[in-house]
Amino acid sequence: MYSVTLLQAAATPQGSMLSMFLPLALIFVIFYIFIIRPQNKKQKETQKMIDALKKGDKIVTIGGIHGTISSTKEQMVIVKVDENTKIEFSRSAIASVITDKAETASDTEKAGAASEEKGEKKSLFGKIKKDNKKAEESSSEK
């Protein structure tokens, strides 16, 4: 009698098929939203960047080599890294293209360093000019 009830309990499913596959489907949706979709977007942006390479672009390779593209081929680019040094790279070895924004930021840093040499100081709210002559006169009077 006891063995018959065990067989009957094992034969009847405890939950429906939907409740078994719902957590699995939910995990797949979460993976798609947080992992697969952003990776596909990044890959498309990288491919656009590689396709848009042209002569004169400043680039950085995967290995960290900075240079300027001197010519392009179908699958290769020739990068000028120094006055007389050119290296041929695969297009897929290009990590990023340096845009004007990065150059503008470095120009801003250079201007900041030049202003510090002139006696100007920068604060969070703008420039504070320091007149060296007035500071010297007041310190010499004391």
Side-chain angles (χ1 to χ4, degrees), residues 22-40:
L22 188 61
L24 186 62
L26 187 62
I27 289 171
F28 180 75
V29 168
I30 290 171
F31 267 90
Y32 179 78
I33 291 172
F34 290 112
I35 296 174
I36 298 170
R37 189 168 169 247
Q39 184 64 31
N40 286 343

Side-chain angles (χ1 to χ4, degrees), residues 92-105:
S92 61
I94 308 296
S96 64
V97 176
I98 300 172
T99 60
D100 291 335
K101 291 179 184 178
E103 291 174 4
T104 307

Side-chain angles (χ1 to χ4, degrees), residues 112-123:
S115 67
E116 287 179 10
E117 289 175 6
K118 292 180 183 176
E120 299 174 353
K121 291 188 177 179
K122 280 188 153 181
S123 72

Side-chain angles (χ1 to χ4, degrees), residues 1-137:
M1 179 82 171
Y2 180 69
S3 62
V4 173
T5 57
L6 286 176
L7 289 175
Q8 289 175 347
T12 58
Q14 295 294 326
S16 68
M17 293 294 269
L18 181 64
S19 66
M20 288 177 20
F21 287 113
L22 188 61
L24 186 62
L26 187 62
I27 289 171
F28 180 75
V29 168
I30 290 171
F31 267 90
Y32 179 78
I33 291 172
F34 290 112
I35 296 174
I36 298 170
R37 189 168 169 247
Q39 184 64 31
N40 286 343
K41 280 186 174 182
K42 185 177 180 182
Q43 190 174 9
K44 284 180 184 178
E45 289 174 5
T46 304
Q47 189 61 40
K48 276 185 180 178
M49 181 216 34
I50 288 173
D51 291 340
L53 291 175
K54 61 185 181 300
K55 183 178 179 179
D57 284 347
K58 294 183 180 181
I59 57 135
V60 178
T61 65
I62 293 172
I65 297 173
H66 292 252
T68 305
I69 295 178
S70 63
S71 67
T72 60
K73 298 178 183 176
E74 191 172 319
Q75 293 296 320
M76 306 294 277
V77 292
I78 297 175
V79 179
K80 182 178 178 183
V81 292
D82 197 18
E83 292 297 322
N84 298 323
T85 308
K86 293 182 181 179
I87 304 174
E88 190 170 350
F89 285 101
S90 173
R91 283 183 178 256
S92 61
I94 308 296
S96 64
V97 176
I98 300 172
T99 60
D100 291 335
K101 291 179 184 178
E103 291 174 4
T104 307
S106 65
D107 291 342
T108 306
E109 290 173 1
K110 289 177 186 175
S115 67
E116 287 179 10
E117 289 175 6
K118 292 180 183 176
E120 299 174 353
K121 291 188 177 179
K122 280 188 153 181
S123 72
L124 291 174
F125 303 107
K127 291 183 181 178
I128 300 173
K129 292 185 179 181
K130 181 180 177 183
D131 191 2
N132 290 335
K133 293 179 184 177
K134 289 183 181 178
E136 290 173 5
E137 289 174 4

